[in-house]
Amino acid sequence: MIFPMNAPMFDLLVLAIAAKEDAYGYQISQVVKTVASTKDSTLYPVLKRLQEQGFLSVYDQPFQGRNRRYYRITDSGREHYKMLAQEWSAYKASVDEIVKGEGQNE
């Protein structure tokens, strides 16, 4: 996609992924990459910030002899996710109105 990713959009995508099921970093990055060409190194500061804000909790689970770090959305994370999703819907609807020429009366 040619549209840039910003912090609220990263937060929305990460929280949406974690809201469906606990997820590990690489798993989250692969889903995010379907809509944005981002580096894995971009994602980890986002995960850390969301964790520090109390929107994600973290736990390790063994997988094939290594530990995987899983991210779980918290109750406050679900509330934040809900707010971001509502903001995104309103923003998307407004952009669609402009792009489709709806509501532009002279």
Side-chain angles (χ1 to χ4, degrees):
M1 298 254 173
I2 62 170
F3 300 103
M5 293 282 286
N6 58 23
M9 183 57 68
F10 267 114
D11 292 358
L12 174 60
L13 294 176
V14 169
L15 292 173
I17 294 164
K20 290 183 181 151
E21 64 178 336
D22 296 357
Y24 53 94
Y26 180 76
Q27 180 183 16
I28 294 170
S29 76
Q30 295 307 299
V31 176
V32 170
K33 284 180 181 179
T34 63
V35 294
S37 57
T38 59
K39 295 179 179 178
D40 291 341
S41 60
T42 303
L43 178 65
Y44 288 96
V46 174
L47 291 169
K48 179 137 181 88
R49 182 174 42 77
L50 290 172
Q51 181 187 356
E52 289 172 351
Q53 292 172 326
F55 299 143
L56 292 175
S57 63
V58 177
Y59 64 93
D60 292 332
Q61 186 171 328
F63 179 78
Q64 296 182 345
R66 299 176 47 197
N67 275 338
R68 268 190 180 162
R69 177 152 288 187
Y70 282 84
Y71 296 89
R72 175 179 291 158
I73 193 167
T74 63
D75 290 341
S76 63
R78 286 191 189 281
E79 289 299 315
H80 191 62
Y81 164 61
K82 185 177 174 182
M83 183 277 297
L84 289 172
Q86 289 170 344
E87 286 290 322
W88 169 247
S89 291
Y91 177 78
K92 188 170 66 169
S94 296
V95 169
D96 281 347
E97 283 182 20
I98 294 169
V99 170
K100 294 175 182 173
E102 299 170 354
Q104 296 178 6
N105 296 331
E106 292 251 346

XYZ file of all heavy atoms in Angstrom:
859
model
N 0.844 -1.185 0.000
C 0.000 0.000 0.000
C 0.883 1.240 0.000
O 1.958 1.237 0.574
C -0.876 0.022 1.245
C -1.830 -1.127 1.361
S -3.468 -0.544 1.002
C -4.325 -2.085 0.984
N 0.390 2.273 -0.622
C 1.169 3.509 -0.696
C 0.862 4.461 0.445
O 1.571 5.437 0.638
C 0.939 4.231 -2.042
C -0.522 4.632 -2.195
C 1.390 3.360 -3.185
C -0.773 5.547 -3.379
N -0.177 4.194 1.205
C -0.531 5.089 2.295
C 0.322 4.775 3.519
O 0.504 3.616 3.873
C -2.023 4.970 2.627
C -2.889 5.319 1.450
C -3.506 4.330 0.713
C -3.053 6.637 1.064
C -4.282 4.635 -0.389
C -3.825 6.959 -0.039
C -4.438 5.956 -0.775
N 0.832 5.821 4.155
C 1.733 5.592 5.290
C 0.996 5.073 6.525
O -0.183 5.352 6.728
C 2.313 6.980 5.562
C 1.274 7.924 5.054
C 0.608 7.239 3.894
N 1.729 4.333 7.324
C 1.207 3.850 8.608
C 1.607 4.855 9.684
O 2.736 5.335 9.688
C 1.810 2.490 8.945
C 1.385 1.374 8.031
S -0.259 0.789 8.424
C 0.103 -0.112 9.917
N 0.700 5.148 10.571
C 1.029 6.006 11.704
C 0.784 5.232 12.999
O 0.297 4.096 12.977
C 0.238 7.317 11.658
C -1.259 7.070 11.657
O -1.725 6.033 12.097
N -2.006 8.032 11.164
N 1.127 5.844 14.112
C 1.037 5.148 15.397
C -0.383 4.654 15.708
O -0.557 3.495 16.098
C 1.563 6.036 16.519
N -1.421 5.492 15.533
C -2.764 4.971 15.824
C -3.153 3.788 14.937
O -3.840 2.864 15.386
C -3.677 6.177 15.580
C -2.803 7.368 15.775
C -1.451 6.937 15.270
N -2.713 3.818 13.668
C -3.051 2.695 12.779
C -2.323 1.426 13.209
O -2.911 0.335 13.210
C -2.706 3.058 11.326
C -3.097 1.969 10.344
S -4.853 1.515 10.407
C -5.596 2.997 9.776
N -1.046 1.553 13.592
C -0.317 0.388 14.115
C -1.035 -0.160 15.347
O -1.226 -1.363 15.483
C 1.123 0.744 14.491
C 2.112 0.503 13.393
C 2.781 1.555 12.807
C 2.393 -0.781 12.949
C 3.696 1.347 11.795
C 3.306 -1.009 11.938
C 3.959 0.064 11.359
N -1.414 0.747 16.246
C -2.097 0.315 17.468
C -3.383 -0.430 17.119
O -3.662 -1.493 17.681
C -2.442 1.514 18.360
C -1.208 2.171 18.954
O -0.081 1.695 18.712
O -1.389 3.181 19.664
N -4.149 0.124 16.195
C -5.420 -0.502 15.802
C -5.180 -1.900 15.240
O -5.856 -2.862 15.630
C -6.153 0.372 14.780
C -7.429 -0.225 14.181
C -8.468 -0.513 15.255
C -7.993 0.720 13.115
N -4.219 -2.036 14.346
C -3.971 -3.336 13.724
C -3.467 -4.366 14.737
O -3.949 -5.499 14.769
C -2.968 -3.187 12.567
C -3.460 -2.379 11.374
C -2.344 -2.226 10.346
C -4.688 -2.992 10.738
N -2.529 -3.963 15.561
C -1.976 -4.900 16.551
C -3.053 -5.324 17.544
O -3.197 -6.514 17.858
C -0.763 -4.282 17.282
C -0.358 -5.120 18.479
C 0.410 -4.121 16.317
N -3.825 -4.362 18.024
C -4.872 -4.705 18.993
C -5.963 -5.559 18.343
O -6.518 -6.453 18.992
C -5.455 -3.438 19.621
C -4.488 -2.671 20.537
C -5.101 -1.344 20.961
C -4.087 -3.505 21.749
N -6.264 -5.308 17.080
C -7.260 -6.131 16.376
C -6.787 -7.580 16.269
O -7.575 -8.519 16.463
C -7.529 -5.554 14.985
N -5.516 -7.752 15.979
C -4.959 -9.110 15.865
C -4.985 -9.800 17.229
O -5.433 -10.947 17.348
C -3.521 -9.047 15.295
C -3.558 -8.537 13.858
C -2.845 -10.410 15.386
C -2.220 -8.073 13.322
N -4.556 -9.083 18.259
C -4.522 -9.672 19.611
C -5.920 -9.885 20.171
O -6.106 -10.748 21.035
C -3.709 -8.777 20.545
N -6.895 -9.131 19.686
C -8.271 -9.291 20.172
C -8.867 -10.617 19.710
O -9.736 -11.175 20.372
C -9.143 -8.129 19.702
N -8.384 -11.114 18.582
C -8.913 -12.377 18.057
C -8.320 -13.572 18.791
O -9.002 -14.546 19.066
C -8.632 -12.485 16.565
C -9.459 -11.513 15.762
C -9.234 -11.662 14.298
C -10.105 -10.617 13.595
N -9.582 -10.181 12.356
N -7.008 -13.491 19.073
C -6.332 -14.565 19.800
C -4.965 -14.059 20.232
O -4.419 -13.131 19.649
C -6.164 -15.815 18.930
C -5.270 -15.610 17.725
C -5.088 -16.869 16.906
O -5.253 -17.978 17.436
O -4.767 -16.741 15.724
N -4.404 -14.673 21.263
C -3.043 -14.345 21.661
C -2.139 -14.587 20.449
O -2.333 -15.561 19.716
C -2.587 -15.217 22.822
C -3.405 -14.973 24.083
O -4.284 -14.089 24.073
O -3.159 -15.670 25.077
N -1.173 -13.707 20.262
C -0.327 -13.824 19.078
C 1.114 -13.487 19.432
O 1.371 -12.699 20.332
C -0.826 -12.902 17.978
N 2.052 -14.075 18.702
C 3.473 -13.769 18.915
C 3.929 -12.756 17.869
O 3.256 -12.525 16.851
C 4.320 -15.034 18.910
C 4.165 -15.938 17.718
C 5.018 -15.826 16.630
C 3.164 -16.903 17.690
C 4.885 -16.657 15.532
C 3.026 -17.738 16.603
C 3.882 -17.604 15.521
O 3.738 -18.422 14.431
N 5.065 -12.127 18.131
C 5.522 -11.008 17.322
C 5.592 -11.279 15.833
O 5.087 -10.498 15.032
N 6.223 -12.382 15.453
C 6.354 -12.685 14.023
C 4.976 -12.871 13.385
O 4.735 -12.394 12.263
C 7.205 -13.937 13.821
C 7.391 -14.303 12.376
C 8.264 -13.591 11.567
C 6.680 -15.361 11.814
C 8.425 -13.910 10.228
C 6.833 -15.694 10.476
C 7.709 -14.972 9.692
O 7.862 -15.286 8.363
N 4.081 -13.523 14.097
C 2.717 -13.743 13.603
C 2.032 -12.393 13.360
O 1.408 -12.184 12.317
C 1.953 -14.566 14.643
C 0.541 -14.887 14.306
C -0.139 -15.651 15.457
O 0.336 -15.678 16.592
N -1.259 -16.257 15.152
N 2.164 -11.491 14.307
C 1.560 -10.162 14.164
C 2.187 -9.425 12.979
O 1.487 -8.825 12.162
C 1.726 -9.357 15.471
C 0.916 -10.009 16.594
C 1.305 -7.899 15.269
C 1.195 -9.450 17.987
N 3.508 -9.496 12.866
C 4.178 -8.767 11.780
C 3.738 -9.276 10.413
O 3.593 -8.489 9.474
C 5.699 -8.852 11.921
O 6.184 -10.113 11.527
N 3.511 -10.579 10.284
C 3.082 -11.117 8.987
C 1.699 -10.618 8.598
O 1.425 -10.356 7.427
C 3.114 -12.653 9.016
C 4.516 -13.216 9.177
C 5.494 -12.661 8.138
O 5.304 -12.837 6.947
N 6.522 -11.963 8.599
N 0.823 -10.462 9.559
C -0.520 -9.940 9.262
C -0.432 -8.459 8.907
O -1.039 -8.006 7.927
C -1.480 -10.165 10.455
C -2.833 -9.530 10.180
C -1.640 -11.655 10.741
N 0.349 -7.700 9.669
C 0.489 -6.264 9.393
C 1.088 -6.047 8.007
O 0.681 -5.141 7.274
C 1.336 -5.575 10.483
C 1.690 -4.147 10.083
C 0.597 -5.588 11.821
N 2.010 -6.905 7.610
C 2.654 -6.759 6.301
C 1.698 -6.980 5.131
O 2.018 -6.625 4.005
C 3.839 -7.725 6.183
C 5.038 -7.260 6.963
C 6.195 -8.234 6.826
C 7.373 -7.740 7.642
N 8.520 -8.652 7.557
N 0.524 -7.527 5.383
C -0.439 -7.682 4.295
C -1.035 -6.336 3.878
O -1.607 -6.221 2.801
C -1.588 -8.649 4.675
O -2.317 -8.120 5.774
C -1.055 -10.034 4.994
N -0.900 -5.319 4.741
C -1.432 -3.996 4.388
C -0.362 -2.907 4.399
O -0.641 -1.777 3.979
C -2.587 -3.577 5.326
C -3.781 -4.487 5.138
C -2.150 -3.521 6.775
N 0.825 -3.199 4.864
C 1.873 -2.182 4.923
C 3.237 -2.835 4.802
O 3.473 -3.894 5.371
C 1.792 -1.420 6.242
N 4.100 -2.196 4.051
C 5.461 -2.738 3.927
C 6.298 -2.169 5.067
O 6.907 -1.118 4.939
C 6.071 -2.374 2.574
O 6.068 -0.980 2.413
N 6.264 -2.865 6.181
C 6.995 -2.425 7.360
C 8.061 -3.456 7.699
O 7.953 -4.628 7.352
C 6.063 -2.267 8.571
O 5.446 -3.520 8.831
C 5.002 -1.222 8.307
N 9.059 -2.988 8.393
C 10.106 -3.892 8.857
C 9.695 -4.451 10.209
O 8.980 -3.785 10.973
C 11.425 -3.137 8.990
C 11.947 -2.630 7.679
C 13.238 -1.879 7.879
C 13.753 -1.387 6.536
N 14.973 -0.617 6.660
N 10.178 -5.654 10.495
C 9.884 -6.258 11.796
C 10.362 -5.358 12.932
O 9.735 -5.291 13.979
C 10.546 -7.629 11.914
C 9.898 -8.664 10.991
O 8.757 -8.423 10.549
O 10.541 -9.691 10.730
N 11.472 -4.647 12.707
C 12.011 -3.782 13.754
C 11.072 -2.619 14.080
O 11.180 -2.024 15.141
C 13.382 -3.246 13.342
O 13.284 -2.500 12.144
N 10.154 -2.315 13.194
C 9.177 -1.253 13.442
C 8.109 -1.722 14.412
O 7.594 -0.939 15.216
C 8.499 -0.832 12.117
O 9.509 -0.434 11.201
C 7.518 0.306 12.328
N 7.776 -2.984 14.356
C 6.681 -3.520 15.153
C 7.008 -3.627 16.643
O 6.163 -3.340 17.485
C 6.271 -4.895 14.617
C 5.167 -5.606 15.386
C 3.860 -4.826 15.277
C 5.007 -7.016 14.882
N 8.224 -4.024 16.966
C 8.531 -4.322 18.366
C 8.437 -3.114 19.292
O 7.947 -3.253 20.417
C 9.856 -5.085 18.469
C 9.656 -6.497 17.956
C 9.962 -6.831 16.651
C 9.067 -7.462 18.768
C 9.711 -8.108 16.159
C 8.805 -8.744 18.292
C 9.133 -9.059 16.985
O 8.863 -10.317 16.506
N 8.842 -1.925 18.859
C 8.589 -0.750 19.716
C 7.089 -0.491 19.935
O 6.679 -0.031 21.001
C 9.238 0.407 18.960
C 10.281 -0.234 18.118
C 9.707 -1.582 17.734
N 6.281 -0.796 18.927
C 4.831 -0.635 19.070
C 4.309 -1.614 20.123
O 3.520 -1.242 21.005
C 4.106 -0.857 17.712
C 2.599 -0.845 17.891
C 4.552 0.182 16.699
N 4.758 -2.863 20.037
C 4.329 -3.867 21.018
C 4.755 -3.458 22.431
O 3.977 -3.583 23.380
C 4.915 -5.235 20.657
C 4.353 -5.881 19.391
C 5.203 -7.083 18.991
C 2.900 -6.276 19.580
N 5.976 -2.954 22.562
C 6.479 -2.551 23.884
C 5.667 -1.370 24.426
O 5.306 -1.355 25.599
C 7.958 -2.183 23.788
C 8.554 -1.727 25.089
C 9.902 -2.325 25.283
C 10.528 -1.899 26.587
N 10.173 -2.752 27.682
N 5.377 -0.409 23.559
C 4.589 0.752 23.995
C 3.189 0.330 24.434
O 2.689 0.774 25.474
C 4.512 1.790 22.864
C 3.751 3.040 23.241
C 3.812 4.109 22.163
N 3.651 3.610 20.805
C 2.490 3.257 20.274
N 1.392 3.344 20.975
N 2.423 2.811 19.027
N 2.552 -0.541 23.657
C 1.208 -1.006 24.025
C 1.235 -1.780 25.339
O 0.303 -1.695 26.131
C 0.618 -1.855 22.892
C 0.248 -1.089 21.623
C -0.128 -2.059 20.504
C -0.899 -0.116 21.883
N 2.321 -2.509 25.551
C 2.480 -3.234 26.814
C 2.657 -2.240 27.966
O 2.029 -2.377 29.013
C 3.681 -4.166 26.715
C 3.931 -4.978 27.958
C 5.221 -5.767 27.875
O 5.905 -5.778 26.858
N 5.569 -6.420 28.946
N 3.493 -1.227 27.780
C 3.735 -0.230 28.824
C 2.476 0.571 29.147
O 2.286 1.014 30.278
C 4.865 0.711 28.399
C 6.222 0.037 28.403
C 7.329 0.885 27.797
O 7.034 1.940 27.202
O 8.483 0.465 27.904
N 1.622 0.747 28.154
C 0.371 1.472 28.365
C -0.714 0.586 28.992
O -1.808 1.057 29.258
C -0.136 2.052 27.031
C 0.751 3.160 26.490
C 0.352 3.596 25.090
O -0.105 2.812 24.265
N 0.535 4.881 24.824
N -0.408 -0.688 29.165
C -1.349 -1.605 29.785
C -2.384 -2.182 28.836
O -3.361 -2.786 29.271
N -2.158 -2.030 27.529
C -3.111 -2.543 26.546
C -2.811 -3.985 26.132
O -3.665 -4.661 25.580
C -3.150 -1.650 25.302
C -3.583 -0.239 25.590
C -3.021 0.835 24.915
C -4.568 0.030 26.523
C -3.422 2.127 25.174
C -4.988 1.321 26.791
C -4.407 2.379 26.116
N -1.580 -4.418 26.368
C -1.185 -5.798 26.085
C -0.457 -6.353 27.295
O 0.276 -5.638 27.972
C -0.227 -5.860 24.874
C -0.774 -5.520 23.505
C 0.368 -5.533 22.475
C -1.861 -6.487 23.071
N -0.654 -7.639 27.552
C 0.178 -8.337 28.525
C 1.010 -9.353 27.745
O 0.695 -9.675 26.592
C -0.679 -9.019 29.593
O -1.509 -10.003 29.022
N 2.068 -9.829 28.366
C 3.025 -10.687 27.677
C 3.280 -11.937 28.496
O 3.324 -11.874 29.725
C 4.355 -9.926 27.470
C 5.401 -10.814 26.829
C 4.143 -8.691 26.633
N 3.424 -13.058 27.815
C 3.872 -14.276 28.468
C 4.694 -15.089 27.469
O 4.554 -14.931 26.257
C 2.687 -15.095 29.008
C 1.735 -15.611 27.951
C 1.893 -16.884 27.400
C 0.674 -14.843 27.504
C 1.017 -17.365 26.435
C -0.205 -15.304 26.546
C -0.028 -16.564 26.014
O -0.891 -17.028 25.054
N 5.580 -15.899 27.994
C 6.420 -16.758 27.155
C 5.884 -18.177 27.190
O 5.395 -18.644 28.221
C 7.869 -16.744 27.652
C 8.537 -15.395 27.434
O 8.152 -14.683 26.488
O 9.434 -15.060 28.216
N 5.999 -18.845 26.058
C 5.549 -20.230 25.949
C 6.568 -20.997 25.119
O 6.966 -20.528 24.044
C 4.175 -20.273 25.282
C 3.561 -21.645 25.241
C 2.110 -21.575 24.778
O 1.406 -20.618 25.027
N 1.687 -22.609 24.088
N 7.007 -22.153 25.612
C 7.983 -22.935 24.835
C 7.402 -23.384 23.494
O 6.229 -23.765 23.409
C 8.258 -24.151 25.714
C 7.726 -23.822 27.058
C 6.662 -22.797 26.880
N 8.242 -23.313 22.455
C 7.852 -23.784 21.135
C 9.103 -24.320 20.449
O 10.044 -23.567 20.208
C 7.236 -22.648 20.308
C 6.846 -23.075 18.916
C 5.677 -23.794 18.700
C 7.659 -22.778 17.842
C 5.327 -24.193 17.423
C 7.320 -23.172 16.557
C 6.148 -23.883 16.354
N 9.145 -25.604 20.179
C 10.257 -26.271 19.504
C 11.598 -25.906 20.138
O 12.542 -25.514 19.454
C 10.246 -25.923 18.010
C 9.012 -26.451 17.309
C 9.004 -26.169 15.815
O 9.770 -25.354 15.310
N 8.127 -26.855 15.105
N 11.664 -26.008 21.444
C 12.912 -25.791 22.149
C 13.268 -24.338 22.408
O 14.324 -24.048 22.960
N 12.416 -23.427 21.995
C 12.657 -21.997 22.224
C 11.426 -21.407 22.892
O 10.361 -22.020 22.928
C 12.890 -21.279 20.891
C 14.093 -21.804 20.150
C 14.268 -21.178 18.793
N 14.138 -19.730 18.839
C 13.917 -18.983 17.774
N 13.801 -19.534 16.589
N 13.815 -17.686 17.879
N 11.582 -20.224 23.393
C 10.435 -19.512 23.951
C 9.866 -18.542 22.930
O 10.618 -17.848 22.248
C 10.838 -18.714 25.195
C 10.816 -19.547 26.435
O 10.135 -20.577 26.495
N 11.547 -19.131 27.435
N 8.569 -18.558 22.837
C 7.887 -17.559 22.032
C 7.217 -16.589 22.979
O 6.620 -16.997 23.975
C 6.784 -18.194 21.167
C 7.225 -18.590 19.820
C 6.020 -18.973 18.986
N 6.465 -19.371 17.666
C 5.748 -20.061 16.826
N 4.530 -20.460 17.173
N 6.204 -20.376 15.643
N 7.304 -15.328 22.658
C 6.663 -14.301 23.470
C 5.288 -13.998 22.862
O 5.195 -13.526 21.730
C 7.518 -13.040 23.505
C 6.857 -11.919 24.278
C 7.847 -11.016 24.867
N 8.474 -11.747 25.977
C 9.312 -11.225 26.834
N 9.641 -9.969 26.716
N 9.822 -11.942 27.805
N 4.259 -14.295 23.621
C 2.887 -14.059 23.172
C 2.342 -12.772 23.774
O 2.659 -12.420 24.902
C 1.981 -15.226 23.574
C 2.127 -16.428 22.671
C 3.132 -17.359 22.885
C 1.264 -16.623 21.602
C 3.278 -18.456 22.054
C 1.403 -17.717 20.767
C 2.408 -18.635 21.002
O 2.552 -19.712 20.172
N 1.507 -12.118 22.999
C 0.870 -10.866 23.428
C -0.625 -11.115 23.555
O -1.258 -11.658 22.654
C 1.140 -9.752 22.416
C 2.610 -9.445 22.340
C 3.444 -10.136 21.450
C 3.174 -8.500 23.175
C 4.794 -9.878 21.398
C 4.535 -8.227 23.134
C 5.338 -8.927 22.244
O 6.687 -8.680 22.194
N -1.172 -10.710 24.697
C -2.596 -10.881 24.997
C -3.197 -9.506 25.266
O -2.637 -8.722 26.033
C -2.773 -11.773 26.221
C -4.224 -11.914 26.670
C -4.362 -12.822 27.867
N -4.052 -14.183 27.433
C -3.669 -15.158 28.234
N -3.558 -14.937 29.537
N -3.411 -16.352 27.782
N -4.324 -9.246 24.650
C -4.980 -7.959 24.865
C -5.596 -7.935 26.268
O -6.121 -8.945 26.747
C -6.032 -7.676 23.761
C -6.467 -6.207 23.799
C -7.216 -8.626 23.885
C -7.242 -5.795 22.552
N -5.510 -6.796 26.936
C -6.075 -6.638 28.281
C -7.473 -6.011 28.163
O -7.891 -5.608 27.063
C -5.183 -5.712 29.127
O -5.182 -4.412 28.519
C -3.762 -6.260 29.244
N -8.160 -5.904 29.285
C -9.475 -5.252 29.260
C -9.355 -3.797 28.793
O -10.151 -3.336 27.973
C -10.127 -5.302 30.644
C -10.567 -6.713 31.024
O -10.698 -7.572 30.124
O -10.788 -6.955 32.223
N -8.346 -3.086 29.300
C -8.172 -1.699 28.843
C -7.736 -1.665 27.382
O -8.073 -0.727 26.648
C -7.180 -0.939 29.741
O -5.903 -1.522 29.671
N -7.018 -2.696 26.942
C -6.656 -2.794 25.529
C -7.889 -2.969 24.653
O -7.975 -2.401 23.567
N -8.843 -3.755 25.143
C -10.088 -3.934 24.370
C -10.866 -2.619 24.276
O -11.441 -2.296 23.233
C -10.957 -5.020 25.004
C -10.428 -6.398 24.772
C -11.416 -7.492 25.154
N -10.766 -8.778 25.093
C -10.541 -9.450 23.970
N -10.955 -8.956 22.828
N -9.927 -10.609 23.998
N -10.867 -1.867 25.348
C -11.541 -0.560 25.309
C -10.833 0.384 24.341
O -11.485 1.094 23.570
C -11.584 0.053 26.719
C -12.540 -0.647 27.657
C -13.981 -0.600 27.162
O -14.433 0.483 26.718
O -14.648 -1.647 27.210
N -9.514 0.387 24.373
C -8.745 1.239 23.459
C -8.965 0.788 22.017
O -9.136 1.626 21.117
C -7.266 1.202 23.842
C -6.439 2.223 23.140
N -6.636 3.585 23.268
C -5.395 2.085 22.274
C -5.754 4.235 22.525
N -4.997 3.342 21.907
N -8.960 -0.503 21.801
C -9.206 -1.052 20.469
C -10.589 -0.629 19.957
O -10.727 -0.211 18.803
C -9.093 -2.579 20.504
C -9.676 -3.281 19.315
C -9.205 -3.055 18.030
C -10.721 -4.193 19.472
C -9.745 -3.696 16.940
C -11.260 -4.850 18.399
C -10.772 -4.601 17.128
O -11.331 -5.245 16.055
N -11.582 -0.706 20.814
C -12.941 -0.311 20.427
C -12.982 1.162 20.015
O -13.588 1.515 19.006
C -13.897 -0.563 21.601
C -15.329 -0.314 21.303
C -16.184 -0.668 22.529
C -17.634 -0.301 22.316
N -18.450 -0.600 23.496
N -12.310 2.033 20.779
C -12.273 3.454 20.458
C -11.565 3.693 19.128
O -12.037 4.442 18.272
C -11.571 4.221 21.593
C -11.534 5.735 21.424
S -10.206 6.382 20.385
C -8.762 5.895 21.296
N -10.418 3.027 18.930
C -9.683 3.195 17.677
C -10.493 2.687 16.482
O -10.485 3.305 15.413
C -8.340 2.459 17.747
C -7.276 3.061 18.657
C -6.085 2.115 18.783
C -6.823 4.420 18.156
N -11.191 1.586 16.653
C -11.999 1.036 15.562
C -13.133 1.996 15.193
O -13.441 2.185 14.011
C -12.554 -0.335 15.945
N -13.740 2.627 16.197
C -14.795 3.609 15.925
C -14.227 4.827 15.194
O -14.830 5.342 14.253
C -15.478 4.028 17.220
C -16.335 2.933 17.824
C -16.823 3.266 19.222
O -16.320 4.160 19.890
N -17.828 2.519 19.681
N -13.063 5.291 15.643
C -12.415 6.436 14.978
C -12.071 6.086 13.529
O -12.256 6.890 12.627
C -11.145 6.845 15.737
C -11.427 7.554 17.037
C -12.007 8.945 16.830
O -11.591 9.651 15.896
O -12.904 9.318 17.611
N -11.568 4.883 13.313
C -11.212 4.450 11.968
C -12.451 4.389 11.070
O -12.416 4.840 9.929
C -10.510 3.098 11.995
C -10.348 2.492 10.630
C -10.942 1.378 10.150
C -9.536 3.008 9.562
N -10.567 1.163 8.851
C -9.701 2.159 8.459
C -8.708 4.110 9.427
C -9.064 2.371 7.244
C -8.069 4.320 8.207
C -8.249 3.456 7.139
N -13.544 3.868 11.587
C -14.781 3.782 10.798
C -15.276 5.170 10.394
O -15.670 5.386 9.243
C -15.875 3.054 11.578
O -15.541 1.703 11.715
N -15.231 6.117 11.333
C -15.677 7.475 11.030
C -14.753 8.135 10.011
O -15.214 8.789 9.055
C -15.734 8.298 12.321
N -13.454 7.940 10.188
C -12.467 8.515 9.260
C -12.644 7.921 7.866
O -12.679 8.637 6.867
C -11.060 8.234 9.795
C -9.949 8.711 8.905
C -9.591 10.056 8.856
C -9.228 7.814 8.118
C -8.568 10.495 8.044
C -8.201 8.244 7.299
C -7.870 9.574 7.268
O -6.859 10.002 6.461
N -12.768 6.599 7.799
C -12.920 5.906 6.521
C -14.183 6.365 5.806
O -14.177 6.592 4.597
C -12.954 4.396 6.755
C -12.929 3.576 5.501
C -12.724 2.113 5.805
C -13.916 1.574 6.562
N -13.973 0.135 6.696
N -15.272 6.530 6.533
C -16.528 6.974 5.937
C -16.387 8.390 5.378
O -16.886 8.692 4.277
C -17.653 6.905 6.974
N -15.701 9.266 6.117
C -15.502 10.641 5.641
C -14.637 10.677 4.386
O -14.934 11.420 3.441
C -14.852 11.492 6.740
O -15.705 11.601 7.846
N -13.587 9.885 4.356
C -12.723 9.836 3.174
C -13.501 9.279 1.989
O -13.419 9.806 0.878
C -11.452 9.003 3.449
C -10.671 8.725 2.167
C -10.565 9.704 4.472
N -14.285 8.237 2.219
C -15.085 7.646 1.143
C -16.069 8.671 0.565
O -16.277 8.716 -0.651
C -15.854 6.420 1.645
C -14.966 5.182 1.731
O -13.847 5.201 1.193
O -15.409 4.210 2.368
N -16.670 9.479 1.425
C -17.595 10.516 0.937
C -16.883 11.470 -0.008
O -17.418 11.840 -1.053
C -18.192 11.300 2.110
C -19.281 10.559 2.830
C -19.882 11.397 3.948
O -19.738 12.636 3.931
O -20.491 10.795 4.852
N -15.689 11.878 0.346
C -14.930 12.807 -0.493
C -14.523 12.126 -1.793
O -14.701 12.672 -2.887
C -13.693 13.331 0.258
C -14.136 14.187 1.441
C -12.789 14.121 -0.683
C -13.021 14.540 2.408
N -13.992 10.924 -1.698
C -13.510 10.211 -2.882
C -14.654 9.927 -3.855
O -14.505 10.055 -5.066
C -12.805 8.895 -2.470
C -12.514 8.017 -3.674
C -11.518 9.220 -1.709
N -15.807 9.586 -3.318
C -16.956 9.252 -4.169
C -17.765 10.480 -4.562
O -18.730 10.367 -5.323
C -17.855 8.244 -3.439
C -17.160 6.902 -3.238
C -18.017 5.970 -2.420
C -17.274 4.655 -2.185
N -17.992 3.773 -1.271
N -17.378 11.648 -4.052
C -18.074 12.886 -4.406
C -19.424 13.027 -3.751
O -20.252 13.823 -4.206
N -19.652 12.301 -2.695
C -20.935 12.378 -1.997
C -20.921 13.560 -1.038
O -19.919 13.870 -0.423
C -21.178 11.089 -1.208
C -21.237 9.868 -2.085
C -21.227 8.571 -1.287
O -21.061 8.609 -0.060
O -21.345 7.516 -1.916
N -22.043 14.241 -0.926
C -22.193 15.318 0.042
C -21.454 16.586 -0.336
O -21.268 17.460 0.489
N -21.012 16.696 -1.597
C -20.314 17.905 -2.031
C -21.268 18.751 -2.851
O -21.336 18.653 -4.062
C -19.080 17.552 -2.853
C -18.040 16.795 -2.064
C -16.833 16.407 -2.911
O -16.722 16.794 -4.056
N -15.942 15.625 -2.339
N -22.026 19.556 -2.166
C -22.986 20.435 -2.838
C -22.405 21.831 -2.972
O -21.798 22.339 -2.067
C -24.286 20.495 -2.046
C -24.963 19.145 -1.991
O -24.820 18.341 -2.906
N -25.687 18.893 -0.917
N -22.631 22.432 -4.102
C -22.172 23.815 -4.317
C -23.354 24.718 -4.429
O -24.347 24.452 -4.912
C -21.339 23.897 -5.601
C -20.057 23.166 -5.472
C -18.860 24.104 -5.396
O -18.993 25.294 -5.695
O -17.805 23.635 -5.008
